[in-house]
Amino acid sequence: MNSQNGFLLSFIKYGENDAVLHCFTEEEGFQSYFLKGIYSKKNKKKALLQPLSQLNFSILPLRGNGIPTVSKFELVKNNDIYTDIKVNTVIFFISDFLSHILRYEDKNIPIYAGINHFINELTNKNYQAHLLFLLAVLKIQGVAPLLGDGKFLDPETGTFSQVVCHQQFNEEISALWKEALCAENLYATKIHSSLRKDFLDSLLVYYHYHITDFKTPASLEIIQQIFE
């Protein structure tokens, strides 16, 4: 029997009592698992199925086609972040985001560690952590902008220019990118509340240029409303 630690990205109900889980695991990257009986009346573990919860899965050997089946699972680390509506909204947005961009990702320890670091920031009430995590993912994936003397970030080339190259990247937003990219602790970067929407929009523009088949998460509107 195989044991895996993984972050739950999303899950869908299958039939009356079962579910299919989509996870990013420490040892095998993105994986889908079949979980029997989780929605049965006697099963109390469905409360553990929270976006980005870190779980340990016991996986049965795969026979034939299909996806592996979970025989049992446990919570790796308990926390109370789901009781905060702002944090809950951020988690939903990031799990939605990661479900898309990690769908074909193999084992990637820096990404796995990055998700854990991000959750720790949320635990400490860092309400801008999701913005900086999106930038951290770009750095891990090797597609973050190259630093230069220019005042304006060109999202298409990933370089800084002396002239405006995209309306979303004015001098103020471009300076935030440069500050965060240069920071020893990226999460210590302060983003004023008045700039968070524009900064998030700039991140999404950059992702569209540099991440193949990137789609804007459906939960974007919700997170923008919460932080207005």
Side-chain angles (χ1 to χ4, degrees), residues 129-178:
H130 58 297
L131 303 173
L132 297 163
F133 174 67
L134 297 186
L135 190 52
V137 171
L138 292 174
K139 292 182 72 173
I140 293 169
Q141 298 292 60
V143 293
L146 299 174
L147 293 172
D149 295 330
K151 293 182 178 180
F152 305 97
L153 177 56
D154 181 344
E156 186 173 4
T157 63
T159 58
F160 285 86
S161 171
Q162 295 295 349
V163 295
V164 177
C165 301
H166 190 286
Q167 62 181 6
Q168 199 62 52
F169 291 82
N170 59 25
E171 187 172 349
E172 199 168 22
I173 293 299
S174 297
L176 266 178
W177 275 75
K178 187 175 287 189

Side-chain angles (χ1 to χ4, degrees), residues 39-58:
Y39 286 103
S40 64
K41 292 181 180 180
K42 294 181 180 179
N43 198 325
K44 298 179 180 179
K45 282 195 170 183
K46 55 179 168 285
L48 301 183
L49 296 186
Q50 297 281 358
L52 293 190
S53 57
Q54 190 175 14
L55 304 170
N56 176 262
F57 303 97
S58 296

Side-chain angles (χ1 to χ4, degrees), residues 82-95:
Y82 299 99
T83 59
D84 185 319
I85 187 169
K86 283 190 175 181
V87 170
N88 216 17
T89 303
V90 165
I91 286 175
F92 185 76
F93 172 74
I94 291 297
S95 62

